[in-house]
Amino acid sequence: SWLDRNHAIEALNLMLSWLGTYRKAPYFLEEICRAVLWISNHFLEFQNIVIETICNVLPTNEDLVDERIIEDIIGYLKPDEAVVELVARKIAWCLANYSRDNYHNGYDDSAREKMFNWLHQIPHAIYSSIRSELLDEARQLAVKDAWEASYFASLFAQYGDYIAEKEVLDIAVESLNGEKRYEKLQKTLRVFGEIAAANINLQNGKIAVADEAISKIGEIEI
């Protein structure tokens, strides 16, 4: 609040020039990003260029830093701004290439959950333009984390893309390899897969085939 517009421009130019310098020192980079995002939030005409510049130095390959930087970005950025497509791509890459903390007590309000929730709000046109990248990242995540892949499946369902939803769910089910400890999760994902199959057939006007897919759900005991 103590910066006027001219001071803000000077500060942003200086700090943005540091991003490349500190890319190999991720924890310093995180603090710089937090500062420039705070300034740009007070001078919104600079916000898009600030976020674009930050995204251009990601990933740092330090998972906690990247997740926190992205969490800061989406805390300021509405899902309908000009740089949403770039941010969405960075989020999808981060979700696929880093793993959640399986030892954390809860997933609610985590940086990763916030990323998925934010992706669910992007405009349909943006979704369509990055659909192939989202699906590639979802496939990668489904192989290693069937539970979290359900968030990607939910994203595809949000946009009526039931083909992508079913593919991700099928990969997730296959990744569990019938292990006893994951039996309930595997059955649950199969149910969602049958629902997706029914929705695909409904979209194609195949009502009888959709009914057949729905009937299979009752055969799966959870």
Side-chain angles (χ1 to χ4, degrees):
S1 59
W2 46 267
L3 293 175
D4 62 25
R5 189 177 185 279
N6 289 333
H7 289 151
I9 292 173
E10 290 182 21
L12 287 173
N13 281 333
L14 178 61
M15 287 190 286
L16 290 175
S17 71
W18 291 344
L19 295 182
T21 303
Y22 285 97
R23 185 174 186 177
K24 294 184 178 180
Y27 290 94
F28 288 107
L29 184 69
E30 179 185 354
E31 294 303 319
I32 298 168
C33 290
R34 183 164 292 128
V36 295
L37 285 167
W38 183 86
I39 294 172
S40 70
N41 190 52
H42 287 76
F43 299 91
L44 294 178
E45 67 266 37
F46 305 131
Q47 188 177 70
N48 285 342
I49 188 63
V50 162
I51 290 174
E52 182 178 354
T53 306
I54 291 173
C55 284
N56 286 336
V57 299
L58 296 178
T60 66
N61 295 319
E62 185 68 45
D63 55 352
L64 291 178
V65 171
D66 287 352
E67 287 182 0
R68 286 198 293 254
I69 289 174
I70 291 176
E71 184 179 9
D72 287 338
I73 289 173
I74 63 178
Y76 290 114
L77 182 67
K78 295 178 181 178
D80 58 353
E81 293 290 336
V83 291
V84 163
E85 185 173 329
L86 177 59
V87 174
R89 284 194 171 101
K90 294 296 181 179
I91 289 174
W93 186 94
C94 186
L95 290 167
N97 286 275
Y98 299 141
S99 300
R100 65 187 171 100
D101 183 358
N102 291 315
Y103 300 100
H104 191 270
N105 289 331
Y107 192 78
D108 292 343
D109 204 40
S110 69
R112 295 176 71 86
E113 185 188 46
K114 290 175 182 176
M115 290 183 210
F116 276 118
N117 289 341
W118 190 88
L119 286 176
H120 277 66
Q121 301 174 61
I122 63 176
H124 201 287
I126 297 295
Y127 169 79
S128 297
S129 69
I130 62 172
R131 188 254 189 191
S132 61
E133 291 105 314
L134 290 173
L135 183 53
D136 285 343
E137 306 296 11
R139 291 177 182 131
Q140 185 175 332
L141 180 62
V143 170
K144 64 180 181 180
D145 192 333
W147 181 86
E148 196 175 38
S150 65
Y151 278 77
F152 260 126
S154 171
L155 174 64
F156 296 128
Q158 167 84 8
Y159 294 95
D161 192 348
Y162 303 115
I163 292 175
E165 178 194 13
K166 187 170 190 314
E167 180 179 348
V168 171
L169 290 169
D170 288 346
I171 294 171
V173 168
E174 184 66 24
S175 73
L176 296 175
N177 296 319
E179 291 187 41
K180 189 70 176 177
R181 58 179 172 157
Y182 297 129
E183 186 176 6
K184 184 174 181 179
L185 173 60
Q186 192 172 45
K187 288 180 178 179
T188 300
L189 294 174
R190 280 178 178 157
V191 167
F192 290 147
E194 293 300 337
I195 294 172
N199 283 326
I200 291 169
N201 286 300
L202 286 173
Q203 283 183 331
N204 294 328
K206 299 178 180 179
I207 308 300
V209 181
D211 286 342
E212 183 179 348
I214 291 294
S215 69
K216 291 180 180 179
I217 295 174
E219 301 172 7
I220 303 174
E221 295 181 4
I222 299 178

Coordinates of all heavy atoms in Angstrom, one line a residue, residues 145-201:
D145 N -0.9 -43.2 -8.9 CA -1.8 -42.8 -7.8 C -3.3 -42.8 -8.2 O -3.8 -41.8 -8.6 CB -1.4 -41.4 -7.3 CG -2.1 -41.0 -5.9 OD1 -3.2 -41.6 -5.6 OD2 -1.5 -40.2 -5.2
A146 N -3.8 -44.0 -8.1 CA -5.2 -44.2 -8.6 C -6.2 -43.3 -7.8 O -7.2 -42.8 -8.4 CB -5.6 -45.7 -8.4
W147 N -6.0 -43.2 -6.6 CA -6.9 -42.4 -5.8 C -6.9 -40.9 -6.2 O -8.0 -40.4 -6.5 CB -6.5 -42.4 -4.3 CG -7.5 -41.7 -3.4 CD1 -8.7 -42.1 -2.9 CD2 -7.3 -40.3 -3.0 NE1 -9.2 -41.1 -2.1 CE2 -8.4 -40.0 -2.2 CE3 -6.3 -39.3 -3.2 CZ2 -8.6 -38.7 -1.6 CZ3 -6.5 -38.1 -2.6 CH2 -7.6 -37.8 -1.9
E148 N -5.8 -40.3 -6.4 CA -5.7 -38.9 -6.8 C -6.2 -38.7 -8.2 O -6.7 -37.7 -8.6 CB -4.4 -38.3 -6.5 CG -4.4 -36.8 -6.6 CD -3.0 -36.2 -6.2 OE1 -2.0 -36.8 -6.6 OE2 -3.0 -35.2 -5.5
A149 N -6.0 -39.8 -9.0 CA -6.4 -39.7 -10.4 C -7.9 -39.4 -10.6 O -8.4 -38.9 -11.6 CB -6.0 -40.9 -11.2
S150 N -8.6 -39.8 -9.5 CA -10.1 -39.6 -9.6 C -10.4 -38.1 -9.6 O -11.5 -37.7 -10.2 CB -10.8 -40.2 -8.3 OG -10.4 -39.6 -7.1
Y151 N -9.5 -37.2 -9.2 CA -9.7 -35.8 -9.3 C -9.6 -35.4 -10.7 O -10.4 -34.5 -11.2 CB -8.7 -35.0 -8.4 CG -9.0 -34.9 -7.0 CD1 -8.9 -36.0 -6.1 CD2 -9.6 -33.7 -6.5 CE1 -9.2 -35.9 -4.8 CE2 -9.9 -33.6 -5.1 CZ -9.7 -34.7 -4.3 OH -10.0 -34.6 -2.9
F152 N -8.7 -36.0 -11.5 CA -8.6 -35.7 -12.9 C -9.8 -36.2 -13.6 O -10.4 -35.6 -14.5 CB -7.3 -36.3 -13.5 CG -6.2 -35.4 -13.7 CD1 -4.9 -35.7 -13.2 CD2 -6.3 -34.2 -14.4 CE1 -3.9 -34.8 -13.4 CE2 -5.3 -33.3 -14.6 CZ -4.0 -33.6 -14.1
A153 N -10.3 -37.4 -13.2 CA -11.5 -38.0 -13.8 C -12.7 -37.0 -13.6 O -13.5 -36.8 -14.5 CB -11.8 -39.3 -13.2
S154 N -12.8 -36.5 -12.4 CA -13.8 -35.5 -12.1 C -13.7 -34.3 -13.0 O -14.8 -33.7 -13.4 CB -13.7 -35.1 -10.6 OG -14.6 -34.1 -10.3
L155 N -12.5 -33.8 -13.2 CA -12.3 -32.7 -14.1 C -12.9 -32.9 -15.5 O -13.6 -32.1 -16.1 CB -10.8 -32.3 -14.2 CG -10.4 -31.2 -15.1 CD1 -11.0 -29.9 -14.7 CD2 -8.9 -31.1 -15.2
F156 N -12.5 -34.1 -16.1 CA -13.0 -34.4 -17.4 C -14.6 -34.5 -17.4 O -15.2 -34.1 -18.3 CB -12.4 -35.7 -17.9 CG -10.9 -35.7 -18.1 CD1 -10.1 -36.6 -17.5 CD2 -10.4 -34.6 -18.8 CE1 -8.7 -36.5 -17.6 CE2 -9.0 -34.5 -19.0 CZ -8.1 -35.5 -18.4
A157 N -15.1 -35.1 -16.4 CA -16.6 -35.2 -16.3 C -17.2 -33.8 -16.2 O -18.3 -33.6 -16.7 CB -17.0 -36.1 -15.1
Q158 N -16.5 -32.9 -15.5 CA -17.0 -31.5 -15.4 C -17.3 -30.9 -16.7 O -18.2 -30.1 -16.9 CB -16.0 -30.7 -14.6 CG -16.2 -29.2 -14.6 CD -17.1 -28.7 -13.5 OE1 -17.5 -29.5 -12.7 NE2 -17.5 -27.5 -13.6
Y159 N -16.5 -31.3 -17.7 CA -16.6 -30.7 -19.0 C -17.3 -31.6 -20.0 O -17.2 -31.4 -21.2 CB -15.2 -30.2 -19.5 CG -14.7 -29.1 -18.7 CD1 -13.8 -29.3 -17.6 CD2 -15.1 -27.8 -18.9 CE1 -13.3 -28.3 -16.8 CE2 -14.6 -26.8 -18.1 CZ -13.8 -27.0 -17.1 OH -13.3 -26.0 -16.3
G160 N -17.9 -32.7 -19.5 CA -18.7 -33.6 -20.3 C -17.8 -34.5 -21.2 O -18.2 -35.0 -22.2
D161 N -16.5 -34.6 -20.8 CA -15.6 -35.4 -21.6 C -15.5 -36.8 -21.0 O -14.5 -37.1 -20.3 CB -14.2 -34.7 -21.6 CG -13.2 -35.3 -22.6 OD1 -13.5 -36.4 -23.1 OD2 -12.2 -34.7 -22.9
Y162 N -16.5 -37.5 -21.2 CA -16.6 -38.8 -20.5 C -15.6 -39.9 -21.1 O -15.3 -40.8 -20.4 CB -18.0 -39.3 -20.6 CG -19.0 -38.4 -20.0 CD1 -20.0 -37.7 -20.7 CD2 -18.9 -38.0 -18.6 CE1 -20.9 -36.8 -20.2 CE2 -19.8 -37.1 -18.0 CZ -20.8 -36.5 -18.9 OH -21.7 -35.6 -18.3
I163 N -15.2 -39.7 -22.3 CA -14.2 -40.6 -22.9 C -12.9 -40.5 -22.2 O -12.3 -41.5 -21.8 CB -14.0 -40.3 -24.4 CG1 -15.3 -40.6 -25.2 CG2 -12.8 -41.1 -25.0 CD1 -15.3 -40.3 -26.7
A164 N -12.5 -39.2 -21.9 CA -11.2 -39.0 -21.2 C -11.4 -39.5 -19.7 O -10.5 -40.1 -19.2 CB -10.8 -37.6 -21.2
E165 N -12.6 -39.2 -19.1 CA -12.8 -39.7 -17.8 C -12.7 -41.2 -17.7 O -12.0 -41.7 -16.8 CB -14.2 -39.3 -17.3 CG -14.6 -39.7 -15.9 CD -16.1 -39.6 -15.6 OE1 -16.9 -39.4 -16.6 OE2 -16.4 -39.8 -14.4
K166 N -13.3 -41.9 -18.6 CA -13.3 -43.4 -18.5 C -11.9 -43.9 -18.7 O -11.4 -44.9 -18.1 CB -14.2 -44.0 -19.5 CG -14.3 -45.5 -19.3 CD -15.4 -46.1 -20.2 CE -15.6 -47.6 -19.8 NZ -14.4 -48.4 -19.6
E167 N -11.1 -43.3 -19.6 CA -9.8 -43.8 -19.9 C -8.9 -43.6 -18.6 O -8.2 -44.6 -18.3 CB -9.1 -43.0 -21.0 CG -7.7 -43.4 -21.3 CD -7.1 -42.7 -22.5 OE1 -7.7 -42.0 -23.2 OE2 -5.8 -42.8 -22.6
V168 N -9.0 -42.5 -18.0 CA -8.2 -42.3 -16.7 C -8.6 -43.3 -15.6 O -7.8 -43.9 -15.0 CB -8.4 -40.8 -16.3 CG1 -7.7 -40.7 -14.9 CG2 -7.7 -39.9 -17.2
L169 N -9.9 -43.5 -15.5 CA -10.4 -44.4 -14.5 C -9.9 -45.9 -14.8 O -9.6 -46.6 -13.9 CB -11.9 -44.4 -14.4 CG -12.5 -43.1 -13.8 CD1 -14.0 -43.0 -14.0 CD2 -12.2 -43.0 -12.3
D170 N -10.0 -46.2 -16.1 CA -9.5 -47.6 -16.5 C -8.0 -47.8 -16.1 O -7.6 -48.8 -15.7 CB -9.8 -47.8 -17.9 CG -11.2 -48.0 -18.3 OD1 -12.0 -48.2 -17.3 OD2 -11.6 -47.9 -19.5
I171 N -7.2 -46.8 -16.4 CA -5.8 -46.8 -16.1 C -5.6 -47.0 -14.6 O -4.8 -47.7 -14.1 CB -5.1 -45.6 -16.7 CG1 -5.1 -45.6 -18.2 CG2 -3.6 -45.6 -16.2 CD1 -4.6 -44.3 -18.8
A172 N -6.4 -46.2 -13.9 CA -6.2 -46.2 -12.4 C -6.6 -47.6 -11.8 O -5.9 -48.1 -11.0 CB -7.1 -45.1 -11.8
V173 N -7.7 -48.2 -12.4 CA -8.1 -49.5 -11.9 C -7.0 -50.5 -12.2 O -6.6 -51.4 -11.4 CB -9.4 -49.9 -12.6 CG1 -9.7 -51.4 -12.4 CG2 -10.6 -49.1 -12.0
E174 N -6.5 -50.5 -13.4 CA -5.4 -51.4 -13.9 C -4.2 -51.3 -13.0 O -3.5 -52.3 -12.7 CB -5.1 -51.2 -15.3 CG -4.1 -52.1 -15.9 CD -4.6 -53.6 -16.0 OE1 -5.9 -53.8 -16.1 OE2 -3.8 -54.5 -16.0
S175 N -3.9 -50.0 -12.6 CA -2.6 -49.8 -11.8 C -2.7 -50.5 -10.5 O -1.6 -50.7 -9.9 CB -2.4 -48.3 -11.6 OG -3.3 -47.7 -10.7
L176 N -3.8 -50.7 -9.9 CA -4.0 -51.3 -8.6 C -3.7 -52.8 -8.6 O -3.5 -53.4 -7.6 CB -5.4 -51.1 -8.0 CG -5.7 -49.6 -7.8 CD1 -7.1 -49.4 -7.4 CD2 -4.7 -49.0 -6.8
N177 N -3.7 -53.5 -9.8 CA -3.3 -54.9 -10.0 C -4.1 -55.8 -9.1 O -3.5 -56.9 -8.7 CB -1.8 -55.0 -9.7 CG -1.0 -54.2 -10.7 OD1 -1.3 -54.2 -11.9 ND2 0.1 -53.6 -10.2
G178 N -5.3 -55.5 -8.7 CA -6.1 -56.4 -7.9 C -5.5 -56.6 -6.5 O -5.9 -57.6 -5.9
E179 N -4.7 -55.7 -6.0 CA -4.2 -55.9 -4.6 C -5.3 -55.8 -3.6 O -6.1 -55.0 -3.7 CB -3.1 -54.8 -4.4 CG -1.8 -55.0 -5.2 CD -0.8 -54.0 -4.7 OE1 -0.6 -53.8 -3.5 OE2 -0.1 -53.5 -5.6
K180 N -5.2 -56.7 -2.6 CA -6.3 -56.9 -1.7 C -6.5 -55.6 -0.9 O -7.7 -55.2 -0.7 CB -6.0 -58.0 -0.7 CG -7.1 -58.4 0.3 CD -8.2 -59.1 -0.5 CE -9.3 -59.5 0.5 NZ -10.4 -60.1 -0.2
R181 N -5.5 -54.9 -0.5 CA -5.6 -53.7 0.3 C -6.3 -52.5 -0.5 O -6.8 -51.6 0.1 CB -4.3 -53.2 0.8 CG -3.2 -52.9 -0.3 CD -1.9 -52.5 0.3 NE -0.9 -52.3 -0.7 CZ 0.2 -51.6 -0.6 NH1 0.3 -50.8 0.5 NH2 1.1 -51.5 -1.5
Y182 N -6.3 -52.6 -1.8 CA -6.9 -51.6 -2.6 C -8.2 -52.1 -3.2 O -8.8 -51.4 -4.1 CB -6.0 -51.1 -3.7 CG -4.7 -50.5 -3.3 CD1 -3.5 -50.9 -3.7 CD2 -4.7 -49.5 -2.3 CE1 -2.3 -50.4 -3.3 CE2 -3.5 -48.9 -1.9 CZ -2.3 -49.3 -2.4 OH -1.2 -48.7 -1.9
E183 N -8.8 -53.2 -2.7 CA -9.9 -53.8 -3.4 C -11.1 -52.8 -3.4 O -11.8 -52.7 -4.4 CB -10.3 -55.0 -2.6 CG -11.4 -55.8 -3.3 CD -11.7 -57.2 -2.6 OE1 -11.1 -57.4 -1.5 OE2 -12.5 -57.9 -3.1
K184 N -11.4 -52.1 -2.3 CA -12.5 -51.2 -2.2 C -12.4 -50.1 -3.2 O -13.3 -49.7 -3.9 CB -12.7 -50.7 -0.8 CG -14.0 -49.9 -0.6 CD -14.2 -49.5 0.8 CE -15.5 -48.6 0.9 NZ -15.8 -48.3 2.4
L185 N -11.2 -49.5 -3.2 CA -10.9 -48.4 -4.1 C -11.1 -48.8 -5.5 O -11.7 -48.1 -6.4 CB -9.5 -47.8 -3.9 CG -9.0 -46.8 -4.9 CD1 -9.9 -45.6 -4.9 CD2 -7.5 -46.4 -4.6
Q186 N -10.5 -50.0 -5.9 CA -10.6 -50.5 -7.2 C -12.1 -50.7 -7.7 O -12.5 -50.3 -8.8 CB -9.9 -51.8 -7.3 CG -9.7 -52.3 -8.8 CD -8.8 -53.5 -8.8 OE1 -8.9 -54.4 -8.0 NE2 -7.8 -53.5 -9.7
K187 N -12.9 -51.2 -6.8 CA -14.3 -51.4 -7.1 C -15.0 -50.1 -7.3 O -15.9 -49.9 -8.1 CB -15.0 -52.2 -6.0 CG -14.6 -53.7 -6.0 CD -15.3 -54.5 -4.9 CE -14.9 -56.0 -5.0 NZ -15.6 -56.7 -3.9
T188 N -14.7 -49.1 -6.4 CA -15.3 -47.8 -6.5 C -15.0 -47.1 -7.9 O -15.8 -46.6 -8.5 CB -14.8 -46.9 -5.4 OG1 -15.2 -47.5 -4.1 CG2 -15.5 -45.5 -5.5
L189 N -13.7 -47.2 -8.3 CA -13.3 -46.7 -9.5 C -14.0 -47.4 -10.7 O -14.3 -46.7 -11.7 CB -11.8 -46.7 -9.7 CG -11.0 -45.9 -8.7 CD1 -9.5 -46.2 -8.8 CD2 -11.2 -44.4 -8.9
R190 N -14.2 -48.7 -10.6 CA -14.9 -49.4 -11.6 C -16.3 -48.9 -11.7 O -16.9 -48.8 -12.8 CB -14.9 -50.9 -11.3 CG -13.6 -51.6 -11.7 CD -13.7 -53.0 -11.3 NE -12.5 -53.7 -11.7 CZ -12.0 -54.9 -11.2 NH1 -12.7 -55.4 -10.1 NH2 -10.9 -55.4 -11.6
V191 N -17.0 -48.6 -10.6 CA -18.3 -48.0 -10.7 C -18.3 -46.7 -11.4 O -19.2 -46.5 -12.3 CB -18.9 -47.8 -9.2 CG1 -20.2 -47.0 -9.3 CG2 -19.2 -49.2 -8.6
F192 N -17.4 -45.8 -11.1 CA -17.3 -44.6 -11.8 C -17.0 -44.8 -13.3 O -17.6 -44.0 -14.1 CB -16.2 -43.7 -11.2 CG -16.5 -43.2 -9.8 CD1 -15.4 -43.0 -8.9 CD2 -17.8 -42.9 -9.4 CE1 -15.7 -42.5 -7.6 CE2 -18.0 -42.4 -8.1 CZ -17.0 -42.2 -7.2
G193 N -16.3 -45.8 -13.6 CA -16.0 -46.1 -15.0 C -17.2 -46.5 -15.7 O -17.4 -46.2 -16.9
E194 N -18.1 -47.3 -15.1 CA -19.3 -47.8 -15.7 C -20.3 -46.6 -15.9 O -21.0 -46.5 -16.9 CB -20.0 -48.9 -14.9 CG -19.2 -50.2 -14.9 CD -19.0 -50.8 -16.2 OE1 -19.8 -50.5 -17.2 OE2 -18.1 -51.6 -16.4
I195 N -20.3 -45.7 -15.0 CA -21.1 -44.5 -15.1 C -20.6 -43.6 -16.3 O -21.4 -43.1 -17.1 CB -21.1 -43.6 -13.8 CG1 -21.8 -44.4 -12.7 CG2 -21.8 -42.3 -14.0 CD1 -21.6 -43.8 -11.3
A196 N -19.3 -43.5 -16.4 CA -18.7 -42.8 -17.5 C -19.1 -43.4 -18.8 O -19.4 -42.8 -19.8 CB -17.2 -42.7 -17.4
A197 N -19.0 -44.8 -18.9 CA -19.4 -45.5 -20.1 C -20.8 -45.3 -20.5 O -21.2 -45.1 -21.6 CB -19.1 -47.0 -19.9
A198 N -21.7 -45.2 -19.5 CA -23.1 -45.0 -19.7 C -23.3 -43.6 -20.3 O -24.1 -43.3 -21.2 CB -23.9 -45.1 -18.4
N199 N -22.5 -42.6 -19.7 CA -22.6 -41.2 -20.2 C -22.1 -41.1 -21.6 O -22.7 -40.3 -22.4 CB -21.9 -40.3 -19.3 CG -22.6 -40.0 -18.0 OD1 -23.8 -39.9 -18.0 ND2 -21.9 -39.8 -16.9
I200 N -21.1 -41.8 -22.0 CA -20.6 -41.8 -23.4 C -21.7 -42.3 -24.3 O -21.9 -41.7 -25.4 CB -19.4 -42.7 -23.5 CG1 -18.2 -42.1 -22.7 CG2 -19.0 -42.9 -25.0 CD1 -17.0 -43.1 -22.6
N201 N -22.4 -43.4 -24.0 CA -23.4 -43.9 -24.8 C -24.6 -43.0 -24.9 O -25.3 -42.9 -25.9 CB -23.8 -45.3 -24.3 CG -22.8 -46.3 -24.7 OD1 -22.4 -46.5 -25.8 ND2 -22.2 -47.0 -23.7

